[in-house]
Amino acid sequence: MSAPLLELREITVSFDGFLALRDLNLSLQPGELRAVIGPNGAGKTTFLDVITGKTAPTEGDVLFQGRSLVGRAEHRIARLGIGRKFQSPRVFEKLSVQENLALAVSRPKQPWPLLFGRLGGQERERVHHLMGIVNLQSRADWEAGALSHGQKQWLEIAMLVGQDPDLLLVDEPVAGLTDEETDLTADLLKSLAGDHTVLVIEHDMEFIRRLESPVTVLHQGHVLCEGTMDQVQADPRVIEVYLGTSEEEQS
Amino acid sequence: MFQRFQQSRWPQLLVWVLIIAAIVAAPAVLPVFRLNLLGRFLSLAIVALGIDLIWGFTGLLSLGQGIFFALGGYAAAMYLQLNSSSGFPNGIPEFFGLYGVKQLPAFWQPFHSPLFTLVAIWLIPAVLAAVLGNLVFRNRIKGVYFSILTQAALLVFFNFFNGQQKLINGTNGLKTDVTQLFGQMVGSPEMQRGFFWFTALMVIAAWVFVRWVVRGRFGDVLIAIRDDEPRLRFAGFNPTLFKTIVFAIAGGLAGIGGALYTVQSGIVSPQYMTVPFSIEMVIWVAVGGRGTLVGAILGAVAINYAKSLVSEAMPQSWLFIQGGLFILVVTALPEGVIGWWRSDGPRNLLTRLGITRRIGTYPQLELDGQEEVQP
Amino acid sequence: MQLLFESLFNGVAIGSVLLMAALGLAIVFGLMGVINLAHGELIMLGAYTTYVVQLIFKLPAFEPVYNLYVLVAIPLAFVVSGVVGILLERTVIRRLYGNPLETLLATWGVSLILQQFVRSVPLATAAGLVLALVVGFSLPLVLPASLLEGPRARLVRAGCWATSALSGVLLAGGLASQISRIARATSRNVDVTAPRWMRGGLEWADLTLPVPRLVIIVMTIVSVLGVTLFLNRSVWGTRIRAVTQNRSMSDCLGIPTDTVDVLTFGIGSGLAGIAGVAVSLLGSVGPNVGGSYIVGCFMVVVLGGVGNLFGAVLASFAIGWLTDLIGAGRLLTLWPAMPPPLAATVQFFATTSMAQVMVFALIVLFLQFRPAGLFPQKGRMVEV
Ligand SMILES: Nc1ncnc2c1ncn2[C@@H]1O[C@H](COP(=O)(O)OP(=O)(O)OP(=O)(O)O)[C@@H](O)[C@H]1O
Ligand SMILES: [Mg+2]
C-alpha cells in the first residue's frame, strides 16, 4: 500500500465547546474515490472546512502528500492541488459562464501574469471542452447569476474539474439535479477517479450506490464505520443513526 | 428601433467623440476662468477613475481617497515652492519665516529635484495606499469596516497636516499660483492653458490604463472579489494581493489628480482631506455609473460643473441638491446614469411617457432574439 | 496617585461622551447592520433641542424652574431625534436593508440635508415641523382602531394630519413671536448656558471635578443600563434580538418585523438625541457639531466588536483614557527624566488632534491582532 494522499490525524474541532469533529481519523489513497455520508450536522462540511483551511482544527493534524496543511492560508492549500465544491453552489454571479471557467482553468494565479498574460489557446480549448461536458455552451456569455440552481451546480463542478486539482472535495453535488443529471454527475466523478482523488459528500443514497466506491459514515464528528455501500447499509449502528436512536444510547 | 440604437456601439462612440470635441474646443471658446474650472474637474475625473476601479469593479468603498489626492497635491506644491524660494530669507519658502523656522525640514530636501517630484506625485500615495490597504486587507477586514477605517485614516491625516505649521504650513496650506515653473508664473493664463491640455491627456491616459487593468482575467478576478471573495481563495487566488494592488493604483491615480488639481486651483491645503470631499468623490462615480469608467469621468465633470453653477447662483441650496442626489442615485438609480442607459432605462422611460409602444411579447423573447434556447 | 485619578477621571469623562454618542450607533449598526452616517446630525438635533428648550425656559412664565431645563431637554431630545430617525428609516433606509454600502451613501446625503436644514430654516419653524411629525405619527396609534378602520377612515386620517399641521404651525408661530433669537435662520454657532447648579466643580481629594462632566457620566450610566435592561428583559427587546438573528424566521413567527425596525431605529436615534444634550453642555452648538463625533463613534463600534454593548463601553473608555494620556502628555509628567528624543515624541503628540492620530494608529495596530474587535461575533453567519 502506497503512502496516503491525504491523512487526517485525530482531528478535533470545537466551536465554543461544541465538538463538531471529535478525534477524526481518515486517509485517502491516491486515485481513490470515496463517499462520505452522515446525518445532518454530522460534521461533513466542517471536515472539508478543516482540509481546505477555512476552519483551523482545535487539535490534530492534516497531511497532504506528506505536508501538514494546518495553519496554511486557503489559497495556498488550493494551489497545492486541493479543489472544493461548496454545498450550496457558489459561482461568481456577475461573471459570465465562460469567464468563471477561465478563472478556474487559469494556471497562473498571481496578479502579474494575469495582468500581462492572455488566456492561452490551450486554456481556451479547455474552457470550451468543460462547457461541453456540463452542457452550458449555449449559455457561455450569460451571467452566472442568471443560471438555474442546477446549472450553477454543474458550473461549479466544471470549475472544480477545470482547476485540475489532485484532490477534489465535492460537497453535495447532486442536490437539486434531475435523476438523469445525477447519473451523469456520478459518471463524471467516476471517470475522474484514478487520475484524481475524489471525495464526495452526499445524502442521495442512489447516487452513492452508483459511485460503487467505499463509503465512510460520519456521525457526531466521528467516523462511525467504513465499507462498501451494502456493508454500511447493513450495519446496525448506521441504521440506528439514520432511523433514530433510543435515548440511553446517545452518549 | 430605439433598442437597436441603444445596443449598438455607436452611442458610446458618440459620447467619446463629444468628449474629445469638447476638450479640443474648450480652450477656444471658454474664458480662462471657465477653462481652468474644466481643467480642475478633469483632474478630479482621474481620481474618480481610481475610485471606479476599486469600488465599481472590486467592491472596496474607500472614503479616504482625499489622503492620496492631497499627498499628490502637496508633493507638487512643495517642489514649486522650493523652485521659487531663492529670493526669501534662508532660501526657503516664505511661510517658514512666520514660525521662525530657519532650516528646511529634512523631508522637503528631495523635492528640490523635479524628477523626484514627478515620481513622488504618484508613488508616495500609491505606496501609502498599499501599506494601509494591506494592513486592513490581510486581516480580512472588509465591507463597511474598510470604509470606516479609511474614513478614520482620512481624519487622522487631516489632523496631522492641519496641525503642523512648522512643517507644511498647517491649515493655510501651500500656495502654488505665485510660484514659478519653467520661468513662468504657475497662475498665468498661458500656464493654465497648458495644464488644461496636459490634464485632458492624462484623463485619457488614465482611462486607457484602467481599462487595460479591468479587461481580461485580472479584471475578472476583481469582479470575482466583489462577488464572493472567500470563494476565490478556494480557487487558489489570493484576494489580499489583488486588492492591495488596485488600492495602490487608485491611490496613485488620486495623487496624479491631486497634483493637477493643485496647480490649477493655485493651492493645496488640508481642506482637500476633509471627510465630505472624499465622500463626494464616491458620489461622482455613483452618479455616472460604477463599473463603467466613462461614467466616472462624466460624473466627476458633470457634478462639479453643476456644483459650481449652483453655488454661484444659490449658494445655500447646493447641499440640499447634493444630499438629494445621494439619496436619489442610491435608491432609484443604483447603476448610475450610464448603467441606466445600458439597461432598459431609456426605453422604460419612453414607454412611460407614452412615446414608444409597450412590447407586446414576452420581454425575454425579445431580448434573447438571436439566441436559440436549448434544453 | 493624584495624577492617576485626574487622568482616569478625564478619561472616563471623554469616554462617556463618546459612549453616549456611540451607544445609538452601536444599536443601529450592531442590531440592524445599518451604517448611519447621519447619526452625527441626529446628535446635532438633540443639541439644538437643548438650546431651544433652554430659551423657552428663559421666558418669564418658566423662569422659576429655569434650573430644571436640562431634565426636560433630555426626553425632548430623545423624542426629536427619535422621530427624525424614524422618518429616515421609513423613507430611505428601509429600501436599502442588506446593502450597507448603499445605506452609507444615502445616509450621508441625509446628513448633508439636515446640516443645511438647520442653517436655512429658523429653529422655531423646525420645532413646529418636528411637533407636526410627532403628532402625525402618534395620533393614529392613540386613536381607537375602530375609528381608523371605519367607513370614515379617510376623513379621520385627514383630520389627524390637519391636527398635526395645525399644532406645528401654532408652535412655530408661538415660538417665533416669543423668542426672537430663533425666529430667523442662522448658520452661526449657538451656546447653551448651563443652569447654575451645573456650573463650577466638585472638590474631591485635591481634585476639581467639573459638574457638567459628572452629569454626563451619570447620564451615560443610566442610558447604558436602560438599554441593556430593555434589550435583555423586555418583550420588545427579545423581539428585536430575534429579528436581528433571523429576519424571515421572525416574520414567520408573527413578530412584526416592520415595527421592530422602526422601534430599533427610533431608540438608536433617540439615544443620539440624548448624546446631543450632553454635547451641548460641553461646547457651542453648530450645524457641524455632529460631524466631529461620527468618526469617533465608528471607532468605538469597530474596536468594541459589533453588536456588543459591553465591548462598546470598554472601547469608549479605553479610547477616552488613551486620548487623555497622550493628549495631555501625561507620560512626561509621570516620568520627567525621559530621554530627550522620547520626550520630544511625547510632546509632539500632546495635543488633542495629534492624540487622535496616535489613538487611530493604536487601533489599527490592535486590529492586526484582533480584526473583529474586542468581542468578536461568533458563529457561522459571520463569514459566509
Ligand atoms: N462556525 C461555526 N460555529 C458554530 N457551530 C458550527 C460552525 N460551523 C459548524 N457548526 C456546527 O457543527 C456541526 C456540524 O456542521 P456541518 O455543517 O459540518 O454538518 P454537515 O454534516 O455538513 O450537515 P449537512 O448534512 O446538513 O450539510 C453542526 O452542528 C453545526 O451547527
Ligand atoms: Mg454540510
Side-chain angles (χ1 to χ4, degrees), chain B residues 302-347:
Chain B
I303 292 189
N304 280 293
Y305 234 101
K307 178 180 182 176
S308 74
L309 291 182
V310 172
S311 314
E312 282 164 28
M314 313 171 279
Q316 313 101 18
S317 59
W318 175 246
L319 274 190
F320 279 130
I321 295 179
Q322 200 188 8
L325 201 63
F326 268 79
I327 301 172
L328 183 82
V329 167
V330 167
T331 52
L333 272 188
E335 301 299 320
V337 174
I338 299 279
W340 174 79
W341 171 269
R342 286 187 189 163
S343 67
D344 278 343
R347 204 179 42 192

Side-chain angles (χ1 to χ4, degrees), chain C residues 225-245:
Chain C
L225 284 182
V227 167
T228 318
L229 281 183
F230 174 77
L231 284 182
N232 292 330
R233 291 289 153 79
S234 75
V235 183
W236 279 104
T238 316
R239 287 180 185 164
I240 288 177
R241 284 183 296 140
V243 172
T244 329
Q245 280 160 28

Side-chain angles (χ1 to χ4, degrees), chain B residues 55 61 135 138-139 144-145 147-148 152 155-156 159-160 164 276 279 290 316 319-320 322-323 326-327 330, chain C residues 35 100-102 105-106 108-110 112-113 116 119-120 298-299 306 348 353-354 356-357 360 367-368 371:
Chain B
W55 183 41
L61 178 58
L135 281 181
R138 66 187 203 140
N139 287 311
V144 284
Y145 300 94
S147 307
I148 292 171
L155 195 72
V156 162
N159 276 341
F160 186 87
Q164 300 303 321
I279 300 190
R290 57 186 121 142
Q316 313 101 18
L319 274 190
F320 279 130
Q322 200 188 8
F326 268 79
I327 301 172
V330 167
Chain C
I35 291 277
L101 295 182
E102 275 77 1
L105 292 177
W108 175 258
V110 172
L112 291 183
I113 291 178
Q116 192 55 40
R119 279 198 198 103
S120 45
F298 277 120
M299 285 295 104
V306 178
F348 186 74
S353 62
M354 288 310 286
Q356 218 173 5
V357 174
F360 172 73
L367 291 180
Q368 297 304 306

Side-chain angles (χ1 to χ4, degrees), chain A residues 15 18 20 38-47 87 172 203, chain C residues 379-380:
Chain A
F15 293 115
F18 171 79
N40 292 121
K44 303 181 296 294
T45 302
T46 309
F47 147 75
Q87 180 162 355
E172 305 201 9
H203 287 299
Chain C
R380 226 172 192 175

Side-chain angles (χ1 to χ4, degrees), chain C residues 216-306:
Chain C
I216 292 173
I217 293 176
V218 172
M219 269 166 66
T220 310
I221 294 174
V222 173
S223 307
V224 172
L225 284 182
V227 167
T228 318
L229 281 183
F230 174 77
L231 284 182
N232 292 330
R233 291 289 153 79
S234 75
V235 183
W236 279 104
T238 316
R239 287 180 185 164
I240 288 177
R241 284 183 296 140
V243 172
T244 329
Q245 280 160 28
N246 191 334
R247 181 171 289 267
S248 45
M249 192 64 207
S250 309
D251 239 342
C252 297
L253 289 175
I255 296 174
T257 45
D258 252 15
T259 319
V260 166
D261 290 336
V262 169
L263 192 70
T264 318
F265 207 84
I267 290 175
S269 309
L271 286 169
I274 300 185
V277 179
V279 165
S280 73
L281 295 175
L282 293 177
S284 63
V285 175
N288 296 326
V289 71
S292 49
Y293 283 91
I294 188 82
V295 177
C297 292
F298 277 120
M299 285 295 104
V300 167
V301 176
V302 170
L303 184 61
V306 178

